[in-house]
Amino acid sequence: MSPWIWSFVLAVRVAVESDSSSFPLRMRMLMLMLLLPSLSDFTHAPSQRCLHQPHRVRGKLPNDGVPEAQRFPCQYSFSFLLLFTQEELRELREQPTDPQAEQEIIDSIEEVYFSSDSFDMVQYELEKLPPDLNLLELEEYRDKLKRQQAAVSKRVADLILEKQPSYVKELERVTSLQTNLQLAAVICTNARRQLRSAKEGFTEASLGLLANQRRRQLLTGLLKSLRTIKTLQRTDVRLSEMLEEEDYPGAIQLCLECQKAASTFKHYNCISELNSKLQDTLEQIEEQLDVALSKTCKHFDVSHYTKVQLAYKLLGKTQTAMDQLHMHFTQAIHNTVFQVVLGYVELCAGNADTKFQKMQYKDLCTHITTDSYIPCLTDLCKALWEVMLSYYLTMQWHDEHYKEEEASPAAEDSVAEGSDESTVGRSYVKKKLEHGLTRIWQDVQLKVKAYLLGTDMSNFKYDDFIVVLDVISRLMQVGEEFCGSKSEVLQESIKRQSVNYFKNYHRTRLEELRMFLENETWELCPVKSNFSIAQLHEFKFMGQCRSPSVSPSRQPESTDLLELSLFEQYLQGGNPFEMQIDNKEEETEDVLASNGYESDELEKSVYQDYDSDSDVPEELKQDYVDEQTGDAPVKSVSRETLRSQKRSDYNLNRANAPILTNTTLNVIRLVGKYMQMMNILKPIAFDVIHCVSQLFDYYLYAVYTFFGRNDMYESSGLGLISSRLRTTLSRIQESLIDMESGGESAGPHASPEERKEKVPSPHLSQLVILTATETLYGLAERVVATESLVFLAEQFEFLQPHLDTMMPSAKKPFLQQFYSQTVSTASELRKPIYWIVAAKAIDYEQMLLLMAGVKWDIKEIMSQHNVYVDVLLKEFEKFNQRLGDVSKIVRIPLPVSNVLWEHCIRLANRTLVEGYANVKKCSNEGRALMQLDFQQFLMKLEKLTDLRPIPDKEFVETYIKAYYLTENDMEQFIKNHREYSMKQLTNLVNVCLGSHINKKARQKLLAAIDDIDRPKR
């Protein structure tokens, strides 16, 4: 190592160990020594000094008053730095100096010399020169700089001499270090030589083996990678096979594994293309998966849906799958209804016109024909049922699936790991499915509503319209079980159609009823003695326990099925709408009587002679067919009507057989049909019941008009028509009867709209003869008409509880008023109707003439009654005989018989009183004869009739006894017995008291009679 290096090391050490404050200046001084070979050169060659002189020295040298940490000047110019020998240094130190003066010189050095290491002293001093140079000033300034330089040089020399022992010691350590380094170099050289020998002898061979092994491993891994890549290239074939097998989870699992493997080998160029291909394949799988998901909307399959859900779970798109599922259900509803309606429209059109396929669903519904309306509606509901059943099964699958996951032990571990994500997913699916119930049912309602309102059903046959109501009712039940909906949309649409249909239907039925009444011959319709309206298929719905929304004609056979919902009943197959048409005609009736025989075989043999119309088409055998609707309103019994001409050969006088006509049966059936409609559609219940009341009103009004209207007998003063009945008849005539059409208008003309709601007054058929004496003036027809009305009223009474349950609470007063003021008055028609027969059946005028020929002023008591009594009794016997003849034709109920006998006896008694009132002279013996005649009449009459007590018996007896009254008693008698006419009372006064009282007393009694009669006038 060269001496100058050691000098550098020593200088650094001395500088470090010296005072840190003077380090920069010392470093510059010691670095100057690096330019010299060594300090020994200064010792041995003192005369060889560097001729370079320092140009400037800046810094402050320490003296007695300056602290040790004072800094030295920081920059030297090594080219001018003066290096001292030891002698010179010694000389500098030996020179007498004043430390204080020396310190002042150092302090006088300008601060700029200490500013920075890059300070240029020469440039600085030259710039300070004034423009005009003065030699003396320059010399003075130069001497000042020299003094400063000498002071600095002396201070540096002192520091160098002070540290010289340390320098020598450090130099010795450097020499020792050099020796050690040389020894280390020899050791390293030997080690390298030995390592070279080891490499050549062992390492290269061993490392070669390791390299070959590593290459083998790399090639093995490469082969494995190539095989994997080859397998990846062939996965598309397997994926296609799995998709054809609908193994979507397996296909997605395989595709995801391939993608994962492809990402492992992405450093191969061929993998990039394969990766994009796998991504396309995955997208294709998602598309096919979406198609598979849409298939579950119409035909739910558990295994198929399980695969689809598992596949979406592998994709991490469970929530997306649920969103897509609801979109598919909505689309399935639209496509299903459109295809069903389109198929029927094209079928009815007879061609495959493409214009129908481009129509909107709402417009397409308007092209459905009447004949195809019900089959299309049924198929529509069947298809929608399949969609809703699929949704129901979908919800059921998710509920069971979540329960299984919660119950499995593995689920507890998975819940601990990803419970939040799983809970959110389940909650989303559950809410989505629950919300979808209402949404799907709303779509179903809107589709069915468009179909319902697309066709005018006002001209439908009744049975067809009931089928429509039946189907919609079942559909509303499905909706209620599906999502708890009340189906307001369906109810409103079917209500609109029902009101429209019912108004038209009721108007037609009223006209039909008028035609029936005008063509009715009032012959007995033979029904069985146990006949009940419940036997008619129109009333079958009343015997079935069901909810209001269920079809009235279709009920589960087993009570166990009643506890199950429709979805549970048809879960394994079938459809709740399949039975609507198939079972339409399954119900039969057996209400017609066998005419007194025990079996139909006997009846058949009896009627064999009259059954000559077997070759007549059934259509012509019907009493009436509605040309507009093609509906036969009642089951024809025209053959029974023809056979009724031979009724005298049969025992029809059965005690319990109801009396009714074809028209009555028709009205009852109409009521049943109306109630069916009302039972299905509660919102129109009031309208229907109002129409039902009009049917009864019109029938009652017709019976009264045909058989009971007779002003002469109504004015008899016997109260035949009660005020309630009179009020009811007036109300019916004002509200229901169109009097203008018959030319009977007596009041102001009604508006066309009001007349549209009314029906013309019916006219009795010309075939009904009410003037024949032999038939008791049509008594058979009167009995059939009146008692059929009473029977109809009894059926209405039977139906009242059912009607009351269906009537809205706000409208129940109308129903109560109808029953109290109309239905209950039916039996009251017996009095005016049978009064006419009683008034004509016996010749009361002849009896008056016979009584007028009797002498009552006899002088002795007679023991023999008068002839007129025998004549009157013969008239009653003849009446009884005719009554028996009529009873062979039609059963005469006991109330009818009693009314007839009551009317006849009452008329006879009043005729007796009238005859007695015509007497001009009468003795006491004559009054006794009157009593004898009347007692004879009563005795014989009681043998003819079982009616007790005899009507108006007291009326006659009291009048006869009045002949014995005195003047005062007569006045009281006149006041108390106003049932007698003015003529009858006057006769009592004139005949009985005429010879015993004066003229003034007579005038007083006659005035009392006139006062009694005045209010009547």
Side-chain angles (χ1 to χ4, degrees):
M1 184 179 296
S2 57
W4 65 270
I5 295 177
W6 297 109
S7 301
F8 172 76
V9 175
L10 180 60
V12 170
R13 186 179 184 91
V14 171
V16 171
E17 293 179 355
S18 65
D19 184 72
S20 60
S21 62
S22 61
F23 178 72
L25 184 57
R26 292 175 184 175
M27 282 296 299
R28 292 184 178 91
M29 297 298 296
L30 293 177
M31 288 173 62
L32 182 62
M33 295 173 63
L34 295 177
L35 301 176
L36 305 177
S38 68
L39 289 177
S40 61
D41 295 339
F42 293 99
T43 306
H44 300 291
S47 60
Q48 299 178 4
R49 63 179 61 179
C50 179
L51 298 178
H52 299 287
Q53 298 294 329
H55 181 64
R56 294 194 186 273
V57 177
R58 59 188 176 87
K60 291 185 178 180
L61 299 180
N63 56 15
D64 297 340
V66 179
E68 184 66 19
Q70 187 70 37
R71 296 175 56 192
F72 284 89
C74 59
Q75 184 172 2
Y76 292 90
S77 177
F78 293 108
S79 59
F80 298 101
L81 185 60
L82 178 62
L83 300 177
F84 304 100
T85 62
Q86 292 183 359
E87 290 81 0
E88 290 174 338
L89 290 174
R90 191 178 296 111
E91 291 176 358
L92 289 173
R93 295 185 65 181
E94 291 176 356
Q95 288 180 3
T97 58
D98 185 0
Q100 183 176 1
E102 183 178 339
Q103 184 62 35
E104 290 178 356
I105 293 173
I106 293 174
D107 292 339
S108 64
I109 299 174
E110 297 183 24
E111 289 294 333
V112 71
Y113 283 92
F114 302 93
S115 61
S116 63
D117 295 340
S118 62
F119 177 65
D120 189 352
M121 296 176 292
V122 177
Q123 182 68 24
Y124 177 73
E125 292 297 340
L126 291 176
E127 289 178 354
K128 286 177 63 178
L129 295 176
D132 298 330
L133 301 176
N134 188 338
L135 182 60
L136 292 176
E137 293 178 357
L138 290 175
E139 287 180 351
E140 290 179 1
Y141 187 67
R142 183 190 61 181
D143 292 342
K144 178 181 178 182
L145 292 176
K146 283 184 178 182
R147 286 194 299 273
Q148 291 177 349
Q149 179 184 10
V152 171
S153 299
K154 184 175 182 302
R155 180 65 60 86
V156 172
D158 291 341
L159 291 174
I160 290 173
L161 290 176
E162 184 180 351
K163 300 299 181 179
Q164 184 176 5
S166 298
Y167 166 75
V168 174
K169 185 178 180 180
E170 191 67 28
L171 184 59
E172 291 176 354
R173 292 177 61 188
V174 170
T175 303
S176 175
L177 178 60
Q178 180 179 8
T179 304
N180 293 335
L181 290 175
Q182 289 176 353
L183 178 59
V186 173
I187 294 172
C188 289
T189 302
N190 295 335
R192 288 178 178 177
R193 184 171 61 251
Q194 295 175 2
L195 287 173
R196 190 180 301 111
S197 300
K199 176 182 177 182
E200 294 174 356
F202 173 76
T203 306
E204 288 184 355
S206 300
L207 293 178
L209 291 174
L210 292 175
N212 291 335
Q213 178 65 21
R214 182 173 179 273
R215 189 178 299 110
R216 178 182 177 184
Q217 291 179 348
L218 290 175
L219 291 175
T220 302
L222 179 61
L223 180 62
K224 185 178 180 181
S225 299
L226 292 175
R227 288 175 178 172
T228 303
I229 293 173
K230 182 178 180 181
T231 303
L232 292 176
Q233 295 286 355
R234 295 179 178 178
T235 52
D236 56 344
V237 178
R238 178 55 186 157
L239 286 174
S240 300
E241 294 175 355
M242 296 177 78
L243 290 178
E244 291 178 0
E245 297 171 359
E246 295 185 348
D247 185 10
Y248 304 108
I252 291 175
Q253 185 70 32
L254 178 59
C255 191
L256 293 177
E257 290 177 357
C258 290
Q259 282 188 329
K260 184 177 180 181
S263 64
T264 306
F265 303 107
K266 62 183 179 181
H267 50 280
Y268 296 107
N269 293 332
C270 61
I271 291 299
S272 59
E273 181 181 352
L274 175 63
N275 207 7
S276 62
K277 184 178 180 182
L278 287 174
Q279 186 62 33
D280 294 340
T281 303
L282 187 62
E283 293 177 358
Q284 181 183 356
I285 293 175
E286 290 187 25
E287 293 177 359
Q288 293 194 21
L289 192 61
D290 189 60
V291 174
L293 184 64
S294 66
K295 292 180 180 179
T296 63
C297 296
K298 294 184 179 180
H299 304 287
F300 184 85
D301 181 76
V302 175
S303 59
H304 178 79
Y305 189 74
T306 303
K307 291 179 181 179
V308 172
Q309 284 295 324
L310 181 58
Y312 273 110
K313 187 175 182 180
L314 291 173
L315 291 173
K317 296 183 177 181
T318 305
Q319 297 184 8
T320 304
M322 194 52 54
D323 296 336
Q324 289 294 112
L325 181 63
H326 282 80
M327 291 178 58
H328 288 314
F329 268 105
T330 302
Q331 190 66 26
I333 292 174
H334 174 75
N335 293 339
T336 299
V337 298
F338 186 84
Q339 291 300 324
V340 170
V341 176
L342 177 63
Y344 276 92
V345 170
E346 291 180 346
L347 180 65
C348 296
N351 53 27
D353 196 342
T354 57
K355 71 175 183 180
F356 295 124
Q357 298 179 358
K358 298 178 181 178
M359 284 185 176
Q360 294 292 330
Y361 171 75
K362 188 175 182 180
D363 298 331
L364 196 63
C365 291
T366 60
H367 290 78
I368 292 292
T369 61
T370 303
D371 294 336
S372 61
Y373 188 86
I374 293 179
C376 182
L377 176 63
T378 306
D379 289 345
L380 196 66
C381 292
K382 287 181 181 179
L384 292 173
W385 161 262
E386 294 296 337
V387 175
M388 288 187 286
L389 180 61
S390 297
Y391 195 89
Y392 174 84
L393 293 173
T394 302
M395 292 192 66
Q396 191 178 58
W397 183 92
H398 281 279
D399 292 339
E400 295 176 355
H401 182 69
Y402 291 152
K403 290 179 181 178
E404 291 176 359
E405 286 185 352
E406 293 174 357
S408 62
E412 298 179 359
D413 300 335
S414 62
V415 168
E417 297 175 0
S419 59
D420 293 341
E421 182 179 356
S422 176
T423 303
V424 171
R426 292 181 185 179
S427 177
Y428 179 83
V429 171
K430 184 177 181 180
K431 290 181 180 179
K432 192 74 175 179
L433 287 172
E434 291 176 352
H435 177 71
L437 286 171
T438 306
R439 177 181 172 186
I440 288 176
W441 178 241
Q442 189 69 14
D443 290 343
V444 170
Q445 287 190 90
L446 292 176
K447 297 300 181 183
V448 177
K449 174 186 177 182
Y451 183 83
L452 288 175
L453 300 181
T455 302
D456 181 12
M457 292 189 284
S458 60
N459 294 323
F460 272 34
K461 295 180 181 179
Y462 173 80
D463 289 338
D464 291 342
F465 189 75
I466 285 295
V467 170
V468 173
L469 295 183
D470 208 10
V471 172
I472 299 303
S473 177
R474 179 58 61 94
L475 184 62
M476 287 191 289
Q477 182 190 6
V478 171
E480 185 174 359
E481 295 181 0
F482 186 68
C483 62
S485 171
K486 297 302 180 183
S487 307
E488 291 82 2
V489 175
L490 279 180
Q491 286 191 16
E492 181 61 28
S493 57
I494 198 65
K495 179 181 178 182
R496 286 173 55 187
Q497 284 285 31
S498 298
V499 170
N500 183 34
Y501 172 82
F502 192 73
K503 286 182 178 180
N504 184 71
Y505 181 79
H506 179 63
R507 192 179 304 112
T508 304
R509 299 287 79 78
L510 281 178
E511 289 292 338
E512 175 187 298
L513 178 59
R514 181 175 70 89
M515 190 199 67
F516 264 86
L517 290 170
E518 290 181 346
N519 290 278
E520 179 63 64
T521 57
W522 302 102
E523 293 180 348
L524 188 67
C525 177
V527 294
K528 291 186 176 182
S529 59
N530 61 347
F531 170 76
S532 170
I533 61 172
Q535 298 171 358
L536 302 176
H537 73 81
E538 286 85 357
F539 293 90
K540 293 293 185 183
F541 71 95
M542 292 178 58
Q544 298 168 345
C545 298
R546 64 178 193 91
S547 64
S549 61
V550 183
S551 162
S553 57
R554 315 290 178 254
Q555 289 295 319
E557 297 178 0
S558 174
T559 55
D560 295 336
L561 294 178
L562 290 173
E563 301 176 358
L564 299 176
S565 67
L566 291 175
F567 289 95
E568 293 171 341
Q569 293 179 36
Y570 299 97
L571 191 62
Q572 303 300 327
N575 195 297
F577 300 97
E578 289 177 352
M579 61 175 62
Q580 303 300 322
I581 304 300
D582 300 337
N583 298 336
K584 181 179 176 181
E585 298 297 336
E586 68 180 4
E587 300 168 345
T588 58
E589 297 176 346
D590 185 19
V591 297
L592 296 181
S594 301
N595 294 321
Y597 290 87
E598 296 297 329
S599 68
D600 291 340
E601 293 298 327
L602 294 175
E603 179 189 14
K604 182 177 180 181
S605 64
V606 172
Y607 284 133
Q608 191 170 10
D609 296 336
Y610 306 102
D611 193 9
S612 59
D613 57 349
S614 58
D615 58 340
V616 179
E618 291 295 329
E619 184 178 354
L620 298 180
K621 298 176 187 178
Q622 298 179 355
D623 288 341
Y624 166 70
V625 176
D626 191 339
E627 295 181 358
Q628 184 178 9
T629 64
D631 191 9
V634 296
K635 294 186 178 295
S636 175
V637 290
S638 58
R639 297 170 70 181
E640 279 70 24
T641 304
L642 293 175
R643 295 166 188 163
S644 66
Q645 298 174 3
K646 302 294 182 180
R647 282 198 184 98
S648 58
D649 298 334
Y650 315 128
N651 178 23
L652 291 181
N653 192 17
R654 291 174 298 176
N656 297 323
I659 298 177
L660 66 159
T661 65
N662 282 344
T663 305
T664 315
L665 198 60
N666 179 44
V667 173
I668 293 174
R669 291 186 187 277
L670 279 178
V671 172
K673 291 178 180 181
Y674 283 21
M675 290 181 65
Q676 279 188 35
M677 194 178 304
M678 177 173 52
N679 203 35
I680 297 174
L681 285 173
K682 291 291 184 65
I684 66 169
F686 172 72
D687 298 328
V688 177
I689 290 180
H690 178 68
C691 293
V692 168
S693 69
Q694 288 185 344
L695 294 176
F696 186 85
D697 288 347
Y698 195 71
Y699 193 90
L700 183 146
Y701 186 81
V703 172
Y704 167 74
T705 303
F706 292 166
F707 304 105
R709 176 180 287 178
N710 193 310
D711 296 336
M712 180 181 66
Y713 298 108
E714 286 181 10
S715 60
S716 63
L718 297 178
L720 300 177
I721 298 181
S722 64
S723 60
R724 183 176 61 169
L725 178 59
R726 194 179 303 276
T727 302
T728 299
L729 293 172
S730 299
R731 177 188 59 79
I732 295 173
Q733 182 170 318
E734 292 175 3
S735 62
L736 186 61
I737 306 302
D738 183 10
M739 304 302 293
E740 297 180 21
S741 61
E744 304 175 11
S745 177
H749 294 280
S751 64
E753 190 64 29
E754 291 177 351
R755 290 191 60 189
K756 190 177 181 181
E757 302 295 330
K758 295 183 178 182
V759 189
S761 179
H763 301 284
L764 182 63
S765 173
Q766 296 179 355
L767 299 177
V768 180
I769 306 300
L770 301 180
T771 57
T773 307
E774 298 77 9
T775 62
L776 278 179
Y777 305 95
L779 178 60
E781 289 81 0
R782 295 176 188 272
V783 169
V784 171
T786 308
E787 299 311 307
S788 66
L789 174 63
V790 173
F791 176 79
L792 185 62
E794 292 174 352
Q795 306 314 305
F796 269 78
E797 294 285 355
F798 172 74
L799 295 173
Q800 183 178 6
H802 196 80
L803 294 174
D804 190 66
T805 58
M806 292 186 287
M807 180 67 109
S809 300
K811 301 294 184 179
K812 285 187 177 182
F814 168 81
L815 186 64
Q816 296 171 358
Q817 183 180 10
F818 167 67
Y819 272 92
S820 63
Q821 296 185 5
T822 305
V823 177
S824 61
T825 60
S827 60
E828 295 180 9
L829 275 180
R830 285 172 172 164
K831 286 187 176 182
I833 291 176
Y834 296 138
W835 173 268
I836 298 176
V837 175
K840 295 181 178 180
I842 295 176
D843 191 355
Y844 303 103
E845 294 295 332
Q846 181 187 3
M847 189 172 64
L848 287 175
L849 293 176
L850 291 174
M851 292 179 69
V854 177
K855 290 185 62 175
W856 299 103
D857 54 346
I858 58 177
K859 301 301 181 179
E860 58 182 16
I861 298 176
M862 303 294 294
S863 60
Q864 181 66 29
H865 61 272
N866 286 305
V867 177
Y868 75 88
V869 176
D870 295 329
V871 174
L872 181 60
L873 288 173
K874 286 183 181 179
E875 288 287 327
F876 272 100
E877 290 175 358
K878 188 185 299 183
F879 169 75
N880 189 33
Q881 182 181 358
R882 291 175 180 174
L883 198 61
D885 294 339
V886 173
S887 66
K888 295 179 181 179
I889 301 174
V890 59
R891 179 177 65 87
I892 299 180
L894 182 60
V896 175
S897 176
N898 290 339
V899 169
L900 284 169
W901 278 102
E902 179 184 356
H903 284 337
C904 289
I905 295 172
R906 187 168 300 213
L907 283 171
N909 287 335
R910 291 179 181 271
T911 303
L912 289 174
V913 172
E914 188 67 21
Y916 297 151
N918 292 332
V919 175
K920 302 299 182 180
K921 294 181 180 181
C922 182
S923 62
N924 291 332
E925 291 77 8
R927 298 181 194 110
L929 181 58
M930 291 181 184
Q931 288 182 335
L932 176 64
D933 292 344
F934 185 64
Q935 292 300 325
Q936 180 68 20
F937 171 71
L938 290 179
M939 183 179 64
K940 297 292 185 181
L941 183 63
E942 288 177 351
K943 296 179 180 180
L944 294 176
T945 179
D946 295 329
L947 185 63
R948 299 292 185 276
I950 299 298
D952 283 353
K953 175 183 176 182
E954 294 79 5
F955 183 79
V956 179
E957 291 177 343
T958 303
Y959 189 81
I960 294 175
K961 292 177 182 179
Y963 280 97
Y964 300 100
L965 296 177
T966 62
E967 178 183 348
N968 295 331
D969 293 335
M970 181 61 70
E971 185 178 358
Q972 190 65 31
F973 179 87
I974 292 172
K975 293 180 180 179
N976 294 337
H977 294 276
R978 299 187 179 188
E979 65 269 18
Y980 299 104
S981 66
M982 182 177 179
K983 173 188 174 184
Q984 294 167 352
L985 294 175
T986 303
N987 181 266
L988 285 176
V989 173
N990 292 331
V991 176
C992 300
L993 299 178
S995 60
H996 304 292
I997 60 175
N998 55 29
K999 185 176 180 181
K1000 183 178 180 181
R1002 183 185 297 112
Q1003 292 297 330
K1004 179 181 178 183
L1005 292 176
L1006 292 176
I1009 295 173
D1010 188 64
D1011 292 339
I1012 294 173
D1013 190 61
R1014 189 177 293 113
K1016 297 181 182 179
R1017 298 198 298 268

